[in-house]
Amino acid sequence: FSSLGFSIVAGIFFVRRQSTITDPLFNFRLVNNLTVGGGFCSNLFLYMGSFVNFFILPYFVGEIMGASTFVLGVFLLLNAVSVSVFSPIGGYLSDRVGSGIITVSGLVIVFLALISYTTLGSDSSLLEIAVRMLFVGIGMGLFQSANLSLIMGTMPSSDLGSGGAVSSISRGLGSVTAVTLLGWMFTSIYEAKSPSVDILEASSNADSIASFMNAFQISYIAGAALVLLAIVASAVAWLGLKRSQNIPVN
């Protein structure tokens, strides 16, 4: 709690300081822009929601499914490869049909993929995990380039560096916050029903497996809910971009 309190105080001091000096490291006034603020929040919520794949899924794959660390590495590789492949595709499509629709479409794919994790059970196959990892990566890849384009679309050239900082900070903050909040929620739900069995030994009996799966499914529902917030924020950013360009909203 002391570390959390210190972080909050330091964060408040940083925001106040950066808001008053003439040449700040991070211009918080940029977030007042509807498009930039919406893009920041959508990035933040996406990384908060999707981080369950990197923090909670390994427990499921290793402990409940009994898969090796090599298999888990392949799953993470599938996600990384699909993000890398679809990021340029997302950038290409945003240049052709508009960044707003691509960001929202990418987030919808991630949302549906995360919701589908709740249908998994202790007897699910490795292929079922692999397909879901691919689709999460596809959605994130489509979103990333398009969202950066959306954020930069209403900025003057002098603020483009700060726009990149907005995107980077939102990703890092989302990932760190997800570990704290979703990780705490996951372990708390599990321990409430199986306090006598360590989470790293959850496969030892049927009751602890049931407790693990309950915590797993609730955590993915929470992750999907965060991505749903990202969809709303991205739609707000899209609306702000259309208004700034005086484009009628359909």
Side-chain angles (χ1 to χ4, degrees):
F1 286 102
S2 60
S3 298
L4 177 61
F6 176 78
S7 300
I8 293 173
V9 171
I12 293 173
F13 177 78
F14 177 75
V15 172
R16 288 177 62 86
R17 178 63 176 166
Q18 295 299 303
S19 300
T20 55
I21 61 177
T22 56
D23 190 18
L25 291 172
F26 183 84
N27 189 355
F28 284 93
R29 295 183 182 89
L30 292 174
V31 185
N32 293 332
N33 180 304
L34 192 64
T35 302
V36 177
F40 176 89
C41 290
S42 61
N43 220 16
L44 173 69
F45 289 133
L46 169 64
Y47 277 84
M48 284 183 66
S50 63
F51 208 72
V52 289
N53 264 354
F54 305 99
F55 183 66
I56 294 175
L57 185 67
Y59 288 102
F60 174 72
V61 173
E63 180 61 26
I64 303 302
M65 300 187 72
S68 66
T69 54
F70 174 78
V71 171
L72 177 60
V74 171
F75 286 155
L76 298 178
L77 177 63
L78 287 174
N79 183 267
V81 168
S82 56
V83 169
S84 299
V85 170
F86 279 85
S87 287
I89 294 175
Y92 173 83
L93 292 175
S94 66
D95 290 338
R96 298 299 184 275
V97 301
S99 53
I101 190 171
I102 301 302
T103 58
V104 172
S105 298
L107 290 171
V108 169
I109 292 173
V110 176
F111 171 77
L112 294 175
L114 291 182
I115 282 292
S116 72
Y117 277 89
T118 63
T119 65
L120 295 174
S122 57
D123 58 347
S124 296
S125 68
L126 296 177
L127 179 60
E128 290 178 275
I129 303 290
V131 171
R132 286 163 172 79
M133 291 292 283
L134 279 172
F135 274 97
V136 170
I138 289 171
M140 293 183 69
L142 291 175
F143 170 84
Q144 284 182 349
S145 299
N147 185 64
L148 188 59
S149 175
L150 193 64
I151 290 175
M152 301 298 193
T154 56
M155 286 186 173
S157 58
S158 59
D159 288 330
L160 292 180
S162 295
V166 168
S167 181
S168 297
I169 288 175
S170 60
R171 289 197 298 269
L173 184 61
S175 300
V176 171
T177 306
V179 172
T180 303
L181 297 181
L182 295 182
W184 167 80
M185 183 183 72
F186 173 69
T187 54
S188 297
I189 294 172
Y190 172 80
E191 290 174 356
K193 291 193 173 184
S194 294
S196 61
V197 182
D198 189 272
I199 197 169
L200 296 178
E201 298 176 353
S203 62
S204 59
N205 62 71
D207 289 338
S208 59
I209 290 175
S211 298
F212 185 100
M213 292 309 303
N214 179 58
F216 178 85
Q217 291 167 355
I218 292 175
S219 297
Y220 268 90
I221 290 172
L226 287 167
V227 176
L228 188 60
L229 291 176
I231 294 173
V232 174
S234 192
V236 169
W238 185 10
L239 176 63
L241 181 62
K242 283 178 174 274
R243 285 182 175 175
S244 68
Q245 297 174 338
N246 294 318
I247 300 175
V249 180
N250 296 326

